[in-house]
Amino acid sequence: MAGSSTAPHFIASVLREAIYRGILPEGRPLPQAQLALRLGVSPIPLREALRLLETEGLVSFQGYRGARVTALSVEEAQELYEMVAALEANLLRIAFPRITLRIVGDAARVLDRMETERDCIGWRDLNQMFHNLLYEPADRPLTLDVVARLRQKTDRNIRIHLVSMRDESQRQHRGILAAVEAGDLPAALEALVSHLTYTSNDLQSYMRQEQGPRRRR
C-alpha cells in the first residue's frame, strides 16, 4: 500500500507536535498499546514512528520498560545552540553572494506573517522558513539537514519562552535581513550570531525556571 510507507511519518508528526506542545511531557512513558489505540493505528507503524523520533532525540527506548519522551537539560540546550550558531553562520557566509532581491522579499513576507502568527508551532515553522530562505543559496543540503535536526531538539521547548522573546526576536530578524539587503556580510553575521545567542539565553532562563520546581518535588 502506498500509504503504509508514509504512516510512520504521519504518526511521528502527530507525536512530535504533542511533545512540542507539552501534551506529552519530558520523561513521560509512551505505552505503545495505549498510543496505538488512541491514534487508531496498528503497533508496527507506531513503533516505526517512535524510532523516527528516537533519531531526532525526542524519544528513547529503555529495554523492557519501552519508550519515553526524553528530557533536555539546560546544558544540552546551550551546546545545541552553540552548534546551531556555528553552522548557520557558515551557511549564511557561503550563501551571501547568491542571495537575490527576490529572496530578500520572500523573507520579508515571512516576517510579516510571523507578526500575526500566535500559535507556537506555526511561528516555529515560519521562523525556520525565514532562516532557510537565507541559507538555501549556499547549496549545502547536508549542513541544512544537520541544522534542522539540531533545531528539532531545541524547538521542543518553543512553547515555554516564545511569548517573552517573540517581539525582540522579530526585531533581530529584521536587523539580519536589513544587513543582508545592504550587502553587509560582517553586520549580517554579527546580527545572526547575536540573535541565536539571545534565543539560547532566553530558552535556558525559562528552562531553569521550569526545571527548578521539578528538582524540589
Side-chain angles (χ1 to χ4, degrees), residues 40-107:
V41 299
S42 62
I44 293 176
L46 173 64
R47 187 169 183 82
E48 291 177 7
L50 292 173
R51 288 297 184 187
L52 288 172
L53 295 178
E54 183 184 33
T55 67
E56 299 174 13
L58 297 176
V59 166
S60 65
F61 283 85
Q62 301 179 315
Y64 68 92
R65 289 182 292 176
R68 68 174 55 241
V69 180
T70 58
L72 183 70
S73 70
V74 174
E75 293 75 19
E76 287 168 338
Q78 179 180 6
E79 184 176 355
L80 286 167
Y81 261 106
E82 288 171 354
M83 290 188 285
V84 167
L87 291 172
E88 291 196 15
N90 192 52
L91 283 169
L92 182 59
R93 185 181 295 108
I94 297 170
F96 203 82
R98 306 172 193 168
I99 298 176
T100 64
L101 288 177
R102 180 175 181 177
I103 291 174
V104 170
D106 289 343

Side-chain angles (χ1 to χ4, degrees), residues 172-187:
Q172 294 171 3
H173 284 145
R174 299 283 183 188
I176 295 168
L177 192 58
V180 170
E181 188 172 14
D184 190 337
L185 176 58

Side-chain angles (χ1 to χ4, degrees), residues 153-187:
K153 295 180 181 181
T154 58
D155 288 350
R156 63 191 294 169
N157 285 325
I158 188 71
R159 71 187 184 282
I160 72 171
H161 75 128
L162 177 58
V163 172
S164 73
M165 54 83 76
R166 65 175 296 149
D167 290 343
E168 176 60 20
S169 182
Q170 281 293 88
R171 187 191 68 78
Q172 294 171 3
H173 284 145
R174 299 283 183 188
I176 295 168
L177 192 58
V180 170
E181 188 172 14
D184 190 337
L185 176 58

Side-chain angles (χ1 to χ4, degrees), residues 16-23 81 113-129 151-152 154-166 169-170 173 203:
R16 186 185 301 111
E17 181 166 342
I19 292 170
Y20 282 4
R21 294 189 185 281
I23 298 169
Y81 261 106
R113 291 171 60 190
M114 290 171 71
E115 297 285 356
T116 57
E117 179 58 65
R118 310 320 296 178
D119 179 74
C120 64
I121 305 300
W123 193 94
R124 179 261 180 194
D125 291 344
L126 289 170
N127 178 63
Q128 185 170 354
M129 187 185 301
R151 280 190 169 275
Q152 282 177 327
T154 58
D155 288 350
R156 63 191 294 169
N157 285 325
I158 188 71
R159 71 187 184 282
I160 72 171
H161 75 128
L162 177 58
V163 172
S164 73
M165 54 83 76
R166 65 175 296 149
S169 182
Q170 281 293 88
H173 284 145
L203 172 59

